[in-house]
Amino acid sequence: MPFVAILGAGPLGGALAYALASRSRFDEVRLIDPEKTLAAGKALDILQSGPVDGYSTRVSGSASLDDANGAWVTVLADPVQPDPLAQLKDLHRRSPGALVVCADASHHTVLARAVATGAVPPDRLVGTAPTAMAAAARALIALDADLGPSLVHAGVRPTADGRCAVDWHRTVIDGVSAELVLRRERQVALDARLAALWPPGPLTLGATAARIAEAAWFGSRQVFPCWWVTDGGASVPGVHALRFGPGGRVRGSAPLSAGVAGAAVGR
């Protein structure tokens, strides 16, 4: 039975579990948190909303990481203390064939540590916050241009402090380069608004991680900007444009700092 295991049942873990359940791609979602009543309560709430929203995905809550054994995809969601690196290692050990998705915006540093220490192989670990940032950029740019978000393709780039920002060179508004549509002062103003919105909220991060968890197992033609570590000596991960083949295989990648075609993310 295909299932996803989510470690952390806080606001992000709950939003992610609901997004996965409501999309009905996986048969089961397992929400795991050391605070057993928290995971069980959120799982029950999501399960009971199924008849209202029209999904029948099984959702369970547990305090034991044993329930992550054999997961198709595992997700580190809300920070669970004391050591997220040990938790990543434990998730990978229990489901070595699964891609480990780091969903929180604060996870970029633990990705680099996990690869540098050999806790998780680089091809089994991605961070999804850059895609969430691209979604936030699409929403704000569309609002500013008085268009629907589907007409905006937002490029993202890494920043020196571990955040993400709009890459205006790769941003397109209604088929036209954003640099031709928006004056420089408007770009600066939008950059400031997006910087103030970092990190993205749990609903955006959860919806993003759900889409990438699906792509990581079932495959997808869509390009996702993700944190990804290619150099075991790197102190922080780079932002790469990733495509996933079935079974969690990274089908294609390229660093967004290198002028990659297709780095912009649309619908």
Side-chain angles (χ1 to χ4, degrees):
M1 176 185 294
F3 75 91
V4 178
I6 302 170
L7 179 57
L12 174 53
L16 170 57
Y18 174 76
L20 283 168
S22 62
R23 290 174 61 82
S24 301
R25 295 291 303 278
F26 292 96
D27 293 336
E28 183 180 1
V29 176
R30 298 182 184 178
L31 195 55
I32 302 168
D33 195 283
E35 180 55 58
K36 183 176 181 180
T37 56
L38 177 62
K42 288 199 174 182
L44 181 60
D45 191 30
I46 295 168
L47 188 64
Q48 289 176 336
S49 69
V52 179
D53 289 340
Y55 61 85
S56 58
T57 309
R58 181 181 176 187
V59 184
S60 61
S62 169
S64 174
L65 263 177
D66 288 342
D67 286 321
N69 293 348
W72 287 27
V73 179
T74 59
V75 184
L76 182 64
D78 300 274
V80 180
Q81 297 302 321
D83 186 2
L85 180 60
Q87 290 153 1
L88 281 179
K89 185 176 182 179
D90 207 2
L91 283 173
H92 175 66
R93 179 179 63 81
R94 293 171 184 276
S95 302
L99 186 74
V100 182
V101 175
C102 292
D104 193 70
S106 65
H107 285 159
H108 65 285
T109 53
V110 75
L111 264 78
R113 290 173 57 207
V115 174
T117 59
V120 185
D123 64 343
R124 296 287 88 193
L125 186 64
V126 298
T128 57
T131 300
M133 183 61 175
R138 286 177 61 207
L140 279 185
I141 293 169
L143 184 64
D144 186 82
D146 195 23
L147 294 170
S150 63
L151 296 175
V152 177
H153 295 257
V156 294
R157 59 177 177 82
T159 62
D161 59 358
R163 301 186 179 203
C164 295
V166 176
D167 186 341
W168 295 105
H169 294 292
R170 300 187 186 92
T171 297
V172 179
I173 301 174
D174 199 13
V176 181
S177 171
E179 294 184 314
L180 299 178
V181 176
L182 297 177
R183 293 185 177 182
R184 181 58 185 163
E185 55 266 28
R186 292 304 308 145
Q187 296 175 26
V188 171
L190 286 168
D191 282 336
R193 290 185 64 186
L194 284 165
L197 291 175
W198 182 269
L203 290 178
T204 305
L205 290 169
T208 297
R211 293 290 296 272
I212 293 177
E214 291 174 358
W217 185 257
F218 298 104
S220 174
R221 295 179 180 178
Q222 184 173 344
V223 175
F224 298 95
C226 294
W227 280 320
W228 199 42
V229 181
T230 56
D231 177 6
S235 58
V236 294
V239 177
H240 288 247
L242 301 184
R243 290 185 177 90
F244 297 95
R249 292 179 294 106
V250 177
R251 191 167 57 192
S253 70
L256 296 193
S257 57
V260 188
V265 174
R267 57 182 179 276

